[in-house]
Amino acid sequence: MRVVSLVPSLTEAIARSAPGALVGATDWCSHPADLDVTRIGGTKNPKVDRIVALAPDLVIANEEENREPDLDALRAAGLEVLLTEVRDVPQAFGELARVVEACGVVRPRWLDEAEEAWSALPVREHRVTAVVPIWRRPWMVLGRDTFAGDVLSRLGVDHVHAGHADRYPRIPLEELRAAAPDVVVLPDEPYRFTPDDGPEAFPGLPCALVSGRHLTWYGPSLAEAPRALDEALRAALR
C-alpha cells in the first residue's frame, strides 16, 4: 500500500500500524518525530498535484480537517479517498479501526490499549465546568458536537459552550470571563497557549495547560490521554 494522510493524528496512527505505507503527509504531521515522507502542504491547502504525483493507493482525510474541493480534485484525478468523521471517542475508535484495515494491516495493539484506557477512566468526585479556548485574536472556544468536548465530558468536565449553535464560536473575552467556569482549559494547539500566553487573560480563574495532542488527536495518543488530561486538570483545580 502507498498511503497519503491529510490528518496529523491519523498520520501517527498509520505510521504506528503500517510502517512503510505512508508516502506523503501534511506539513503539520509532527508524529512520529522521525517521519520521513514527502510533505504535501497543509490540511486546508494540500498540493493536489504533489499528491497525485505520489501515485498513492489511498488518501486518508477527515471531514473537519480537510476541504471538500480538495478531496473532489483528488477523486477527479482518479485517487481513492477514505473520508473519516470523528465527533466523539467511540466514533474515533471505529474510524481508527476502519483506517488501519484500509491500510491492509491487522488491528494494532495500541488501539486495544487505547480502548482499555477509556473504559477505565479516572474517577472525579464532582463534575466541573470549563471554558475551552482554541484560539485568540479573536477568541474562539469549543462549542457543540466536538471530539474534544466529548473527551472532556468523559473526564467529568462540562464545557460552558457545549450548547452553542456553532461548533467553534467566537466569544468576546469579557463573556468568557463572565461565565465564571471552574477551570479554563488551554491546549497548545491549534493556538499554542503557554504559561505566559493565555492564563493572564483569565485573572482569578484556574487554568489547565494541556497537550492539544491529548485533547484533540485520535490515534495512539488516546492511550495516554485520560491520565495526562486528568493530571493537568487536577493540578489546576488543587
Side-chain angles (χ1 to χ4, degrees):
M1 289 287 290
R2 292 175 59 82
V3 179
V4 169
S5 173
L6 304 182
V7 188
S9 55
L10 294 179
T11 295
E12 183 180 17
I14 297 165
R16 281 279 301 272
S17 308
L22 277 172
V23 295
T26 75
D27 299 343
W28 301 107
C29 292
S30 56
H31 287 75
D34 60 352
L35 183 66
D36 183 18
V37 298
T38 298
R39 299 295 176 159
I40 51 77
T43 57
K44 305 297 186 187
N45 57 347
K47 301 183 185 301
V48 172
D49 56 346
R50 190 175 296 177
I51 297 171
V52 172
L54 289 171
D57 301 299
L58 185 64
V59 177
I60 306 293
N62 176 264
E63 52 88 29
E64 180 175 20
E65 293 273 358
N66 309 120
R67 300 185 317 123
E68 193 62 33
D70 296 319
L71 304 183
D72 288 341
L74 292 169
R75 295 185 185 103
L79 300 183
E80 181 179 351
V81 176
L82 189 159
L83 185 62
T84 60
E85 177 181 281
V86 177
R87 300 292 179 88
D88 58 35
V89 173
Q91 192 175 27
F93 289 132
E95 291 291 63
L96 284 165
R98 187 163 72 103
V99 166
V100 296
E101 181 180 357
C103 291
V105 295
V106 298
R107 181 182 174 90
R109 175 59 187 158
W110 66 259
L111 187 50
D112 292 330
E113 292 171 349
E115 290 208 56
E116 290 166 6
W118 283 93
S119 67
L121 293 174
V123 177
R124 187 173 299 282
E125 293 181 6
H126 306 287
R127 298 189 70 84
V128 298
T129 59
V131 163
V132 191
I134 57 167
W135 202 258
R136 67 184 301 175
R137 306 182 193 97
W139 286 93
M140 299 175 65
V141 298
L142 290 186
R144 65 171 180 83
D145 193 27
T146 65
F147 172 73
D150 186 61
V151 164
L152 290 172
S153 178
R154 291 170 187 273
L155 295 174
V157 180
D158 300 314
H159 71 92
V160 172
H161 300 94
H164 198 282
D166 298 329
R167 297 186 66 219
Y168 301 102
R170 297 184 180 188
I171 308 291
L173 179 58
E174 295 74 15
E175 188 174 330
L176 297 181
R177 292 169 175 164
D182 296 315
V183 64
V184 179
V185 179
L186 298 169
D188 62 8
E189 62 174 78
Y191 185 90
R192 189 172 182 79
F193 288 105
T194 69
D196 300 319
D197 186 355
E200 83 290 343
F202 300 94
L205 291 176
C207 291
L209 290 158
V210 303
S211 163
R213 181 167 166 263
H214 289 139
L215 181 61
T216 65
W217 284 37
Y218 31 89
S221 58
L222 278 170
E224 60 196 44
R227 175 192 54 77
L229 292 171
D230 185 66
E231 289 179 355
L233 290 164
R234 289 184 185 278
L237 291 165
R238 277 204 295 257

